[in-house]
């Protein structure tokens, strides 16, 4: 009998996903009907969900096997007590590659001091301040999961000295893995460029605060591709003013879209990008979802399920 799948995201998501999902399901030999409206909730086997979906109450979905998040970050759904089935984070090779490219681009921008030449093309031949090679540059990454781990590896392959900090120790080739409060102090103190790729949980909210910024290496660059609420915004503004932080490149914000009157927009030491560091790619993520359903049909455990106790 055909499986029933509810695709509950934005209309534009549906336009982009529909052809890829249908072909990915066919390639995995899955007979399924996909709906976009939850008219008969008890009939659905799986829900594909994004934060753009109005669906919050999963209690009527009495036959549900699992929910697949289209987003890697699940903070908007992880505390939903009506969910009684596994919730799978999106781990999408397209999203991971996009993040690697964006993070490497931003790191190289600051490592090479490109702004100086891009923003000041004024007839002055500034042949001073030649950047060190990557081997002499220390990069820190807070968050060594799917995305942070892939970025750590790519940066290490470029030759950077890379350290990562995470909840539990990770084995990332060529990068060192730090944990705990001591590990955090070490990475804050040594990183010339600090990249945030942590999930947002009660334990990581405002992890970049007055105390942690004071422990950072003076003049460090901060890159946030995780979640806006990892940073205390007012503390960041003060740290930029004092020179404790040289520049912040921010892709994520407490409120998105970032309101046009927000002080970040006008601050020359902040680069705002519109939550575009990494998008879930419909083609590759449709294969991920179809692969997950195939695993369920074959009696294998689903992958990337949320650990409710840690919140991601
Ligand atoms: C985007 O921010 C995501 O969580 O996938």
């Amino acid at each position: 009998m055909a499986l029933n799948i509810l695709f509950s995201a934005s209309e534009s998501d549906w336009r982009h996903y529909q052809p890829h999902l249908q072909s990915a399901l066919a390639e995995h030999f899955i007979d399924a009907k996909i709906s976009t409206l939850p008219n008969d909730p008890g009939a659905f086997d799986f829900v594909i969900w994004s934060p753009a979906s109005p669906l919050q109450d999963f209690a009527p979905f009495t036959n549900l096997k699992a929910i697949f998040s289209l987003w890697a970050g699940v903070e908007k759904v992880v505390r939903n007590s009506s969910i009684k089935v596994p919730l799978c984070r999106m781990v999408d090779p397209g999203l991971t590659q996009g993040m690697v490219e964006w993070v490497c681009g931003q790191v190289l921008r600051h490592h090479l001091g490109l702004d100086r030449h891009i923003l000041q093309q004024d007839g002055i031949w500034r042949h001073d301040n030649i950047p060190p090679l990557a081997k002499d540059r220390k990069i820190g990454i807070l968050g060594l999961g799917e995305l942070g781990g892939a970025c750590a590896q790519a940066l290490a392959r470029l030759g950077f000295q890379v350290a990562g900090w995470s909840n539990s120790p990770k084995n990332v080739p060529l990068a060192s893995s730090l944990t705990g409060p001591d590990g955090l102090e070490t990475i804050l103190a040594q990183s010339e460029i600090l990249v945030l790729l942590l999930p947002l949980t009660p334990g990581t909210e405002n992890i970049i605060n007055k105390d942690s910024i004071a422990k950072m290496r003076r003049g460090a660059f901060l890159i946030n591709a995780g979640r806006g609420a990892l940073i205390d915004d007012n503390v960041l503004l003060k740290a930029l003013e004092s020179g404790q932080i040289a520049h912040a490149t921010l892709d994520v914000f407490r409120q998105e879209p970032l309101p046009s009157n927000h002080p970040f927009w006008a601050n020359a030491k902040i680069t705002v990008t519109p939550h575009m560091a990494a998008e879930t790619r419909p083609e590759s993520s449709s294969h991920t979802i179809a692969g997950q359903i195939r695993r369920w049909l074959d009696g294998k455990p689903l992958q990337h399920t949320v650990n409710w106790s840690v919140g991601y």
Side-chain angles (χ1 to χ4, degrees):
M1 218 174 63
L3 293 171
N4 281 308
I5 300 174
L6 175 65
F7 185 92
S8 194
S10 69
E11 276 178 30
S12 88
D13 279 336
W14 178 234
R15 271 198 308 282
H16 291 116
Y17 274 86
Q18 187 182 17
H20 296 296
L21 259 181
Q22 261 149 0
S23 59
L25 290 166
E27 277 176 44
H28 286 81
F29 305 104
I30 297 166
D31 181 14
K33 178 170 169 270
I34 313 175
S35 316
T36 54
L37 293 173
N39 287 336
D40 181 8
F44 290 106
D45 299 287
F46 296 99
V47 173
I48 299 169
W49 188 91
S50 95
S53 162
L55 175 58
Q56 294 297 330
D57 183 9
F58 291 89
F61 290 74
T62 47
N63 198 32
L64 208 55
K65 306 341 183 244
I67 301 170
F68 301 116
S69 167
L70 284 183
W71 283 33
V74 290
E75 75 285 352
K76 289 197 164 72
V77 65
V78 79
R79 278 181 287 279
N80 184 328
S81 59
S82 70
I83 298 179
K84 307 289 181 212
V85 295
L87 167 66
C88 301
R89 288 178 292 112
M90 176 52 68
V91 175
D92 162 32
L95 186 150
T96 304
Q97 180 58 23
M99 187 61 90
V100 166
E101 292 176 12
W102 189 88
V103 167
C104 288
Q106 299 298 340
V107 166
L108 285 169
R109 166 189 171 196
H110 295 304
H111 165 64
L112 297 173
L114 293 179
D115 284 9
R116 189 163 184 243
H117 306 289
I118 293 171
L119 302 175
Q120 304 185 71
Q121 192 158 298
D122 52 6
I124 299 174
W125 189 260
R126 293 185 177 86
H127 191 268
D128 54 354
N129 251 335
I130 302 303
L133 290 175
K135 72 177 180 53
D136 296 317
R137 183 78 80 189
K138 289 192 168 75
I139 313 291
I141 304 187
L142 301 193
L144 268 189
E146 290 293 332
L147 300 174
C151 292
Q153 239 181 298
L155 289 165
R157 279 207 208 96
L158 284 171
F160 289 106
Q161 292 180 40
V162 183
W165 181 82
S166 49
N167 213 4
S168 53
K170 296 279 157 53
N171 187 4
V172 178
L174 306 173
S176 51
S177 160
L178 304 170
T179 56
D182 292 351
L184 184 59
E185 286 206 14
T186 305
I187 202 166
L188 290 171
Q190 73 186 20
S191 303
E192 293 163 87
I193 302 176
L194 187 69
V195 181
L196 307 185
L197 275 169
L198 286 162
L200 181 62
T201 66
T204 62
E205 184 165 359
N206 285 326
I207 191 161
I208 299 301
N209 55 37
K210 203 165 166 225
D211 284 352
S212 53
I213 284 190
K215 287 176 183 152
M216 283 175 72
R217 188 173 168 141
R218 189 164 174 83
F221 294 87
L222 186 65
I223 296 172
N224 188 8
R227 285 293 183 260
L230 297 173
I231 300 179
D232 180 326
D233 292 355
N234 290 326
V235 170
L236 173 64
L237 286 168
K238 288 198 189 103
L240 288 162
E241 204 181 311
S242 74
Q244 173 63 4
I245 294 188
H247 187 100
T249 297
L250 310 174
D251 184 58
V252 283
F253 305 90
R254 285 168 188 272
Q255 190 185 341
E256 294 181 5
L258 185 66
S260 57
N261 60 354
H262 195 285
F264 284 174
W265 285 111
N267 192 317
K269 291 182 172 178
I270 294 183
T271 301
V272 172
T273 60
H275 201 145
M276 42 73 76
E279 289 285 314
T280 304
R281 310 286 160 148
E283 188 174 358
S284 45
S285 62
S286 294
H287 276 278
T288 300
I289 292 169
Q292 291 268 49
I293 297 176
R294 171 49 52 211
R295 288 179 71 86
W296 182 84
L297 286 168
D298 293 346
K300 295 186 182 149
L302 293 170
Q303 295 176 307
H304 316 302
T305 50
V306 164
N307 176 342
W308 303 100
S309 61
V310 293
Y312 58 90

